[in-house]
Amino acid sequence: MSRIGKKPIAVPQGVTITVDKNNLVKVKGSKGELLQHIDPDLKVNVNEGEILVERPSEQKRHKALHGLYRSLINNMVVGVSEGYKIELEIVGVGFKATCTNNILDLNLGYSHNIYFALPPEVKGTAETKKGSNPIITLESIDKQLIGQVAAKIKALRKVEPYKGKGVRLKGQVLGVDLRKKAGKTAAKK
């Protein structure tokens, strides 16, 4: 049994969910509206205040899809009611970030600036305080999209393992969350 798939999804006040005959789930809330196609084998039941996803059999495929679609619907409900926020930190001497009209202008130590166009569903801001690293804040109602955008930005300058320069999630620590290598002097002993 899928433990995640069996759990009911609580629907907060102000969120409406509709399921049409083609298994298209539409979730509408105060922050926006999201759509998700559900596998035709699965059944989505919308009761008062909760949603249940049911599978027809105990096949391995149905078990896998059961938990997956329950999580996707839950992410949609949380997204339209609360939204998602990811903060990225840019570590490195002279590394800068600015955001105008949803276009990130990143100076990451290359010979040229990198211009990264954010999708219209994602709102971005860049903030630089004196004495601290620049921070890029991404906000969206779509968890999958905001995660993909953050991963692409992080891939522009991966964190190097010696000094920790690069783009990382805010709060990640070199040596604890990120891999750290010893320098040349450690090999001479």
Side-chain angles (χ1 to χ4, degrees):
M1 269 324 257
S2 171
R3 291 182 186 172
I4 293 174
K6 286 193 307 185
K7 289 172 70 175
I9 302 166
V11 180
Q13 197 88 24
V15 175
T16 58
I17 291 123
T18 56
V19 182
D20 69 2
K21 61 183 178 200
N22 297 327
N23 254 10
L24 177 70
V25 176
K26 185 187 290 188
V27 181
K28 193 172 188 177
S30 60
K31 295 201 176 252
E33 181 179 349
L34 291 171
L35 302 169
Q36 177 68 48
H37 286 282
I38 304 295
D39 191 89
D41 293 345
L42 298 177
K43 187 177 178 187
V44 179
N45 294 326
V46 180
N47 300 328
E48 279 192 35
E50 68 178 18
I51 306 167
L52 281 171
V53 180
E54 296 174 356
R55 64 174 182 249
S57 70
E58 294 294 316
Q59 289 181 10
K60 191 173 185 176
R61 178 179 170 278
H62 289 155
K63 285 182 179 181
L65 294 176
H66 190 208
L68 168 75
Y69 284 117
R70 187 262 178 214
S71 292
L72 290 177
I73 294 170
N74 186 49
N75 290 344
M76 291 166 57
V77 169
V78 172
V80 297
S81 59
E82 300 168 19
Y84 290 102
K85 182 177 175 182
I86 293 179
E87 292 183 321
L88 300 172
E89 183 178 22
I90 301 174
V91 179
V93 177
F95 288 9
K96 298 175 191 164
T98 57
C99 185
T100 52
N101 298 331
N102 248 13
I103 296 177
L104 280 175
D105 180 7
L106 302 167
N107 184 350
L108 299 176
Y110 298 117
S111 61
H112 57 284
N113 285 6
I114 298 169
Y115 296 98
F116 188 89
L118 295 172
E121 298 88 9
V122 178
K123 292 180 184 76
T125 57
E127 179 184 16
T128 306
K129 290 183 182 173
K130 190 171 182 174
S132 65
N133 297 321
I135 304 236
I136 299 170
T137 305
L138 303 172
E139 294 182 39
S140 178
I141 60 171
D142 191 345
K143 186 175 185 179
Q144 184 176 352
L145 180 65
I146 194 173
Q148 188 175 4
V149 169
K152 284 185 178 183
I153 294 171
K154 284 171 43 178
L156 295 174
R157 186 66 168 210
K158 293 182 181 171
V159 178
E160 58 93 18
Y162 297 103
K163 293 184 180 176
K165 294 179 183 178
V167 182
R168 63 175 103 169
L169 291 173
K170 186 178 178 189
Q172 280 188 321
V173 179
L174 190 66
V176 178
D177 302 318
L178 302 167
R179 195 171 130 219
K180 180 170 172 57
K181 286 184 176 179
K184 286 182 179 180
T185 54
K188 292 182 181 178
K189 289 183 181 179

